[in-house]
Amino acid sequence: MLTVASDVEVLARFGRALADPIRCRLLLALRESPAHPSDLAEQLGISRTRLSNHLACLRDCGLVVGVPVGRRTRYELADPRLGHALDDLRSAVVAVETDRTCAEAEEKGC
């Protein structure tokens, strides 16, 4: 039975995926282009086992998909809009981070 996830569940999944720096790097790499696990492991400088665990998490979150190519599997973002969402999120965070309109920003940690 097909169910539609609530907005909260969707955002929680996305947050879980972004909670780890390696998964963030992996999503950014896949935003650039689809890739095979061996290439991703080399690009990120991590073991294939570690990469496999992170890809499993991203698959479970619904953010990446594996596409069979012969006897190998190529990974890509599940939807092209995710690449745009990553760009928008990164831009928004950078904009907020550099906005120092609060005179007490350093003291308050904002």
Side-chain angles (χ1 to χ4, degrees):
M1 173 188 210
L2 181 64
T3 60
V4 176
S6 74
D7 290 345
V8 172
E9 290 168 334
V10 169
L11 290 175
R13 270 197 324 248
F14 197 60
R16 179 173 170 235
L18 296 177
D20 185 277
I22 291 176
R23 287 193 294 271
C24 289
R25 291 174 55 211
L26 188 51
L27 287 169
L28 291 172
L30 292 174
R31 180 198 66 187
E32 295 301 320
S33 67
H36 293 96
S38 59
D39 299 328
L40 289 166
E42 184 177 332
Q43 182 180 348
L44 299 179
I46 61 174
S47 70
R48 297 269 312 264
T49 302
R50 195 167 181 199
L51 177 80
S52 178
N53 291 334
H54 287 291
L55 283 172
C57 176
L58 293 174
R59 275 193 321 267
D60 291 345
C61 290
L63 300 178
V64 302
V65 293
V67 178
V69 179
R71 295 183 350 186
R72 299 177 71 195
T73 300
R74 183 188 70 223
Y75 284 87
E76 59 188 47
L77 295 178
D79 188 304
R81 292 176 291 183
L82 290 169
H84 299 293
L86 290 167
D87 289 339
D88 291 345
L89 182 59
R90 189 175 54 180
S91 296
V93 169
V94 168
V96 169
E97 188 175 273
T98 58
D99 180 14
R100 296 295 182 184
T101 55
C102 175
E104 301 165 344
E106 293 297 322
E107 296 151 11
K108 292 183 178 179
C110 57

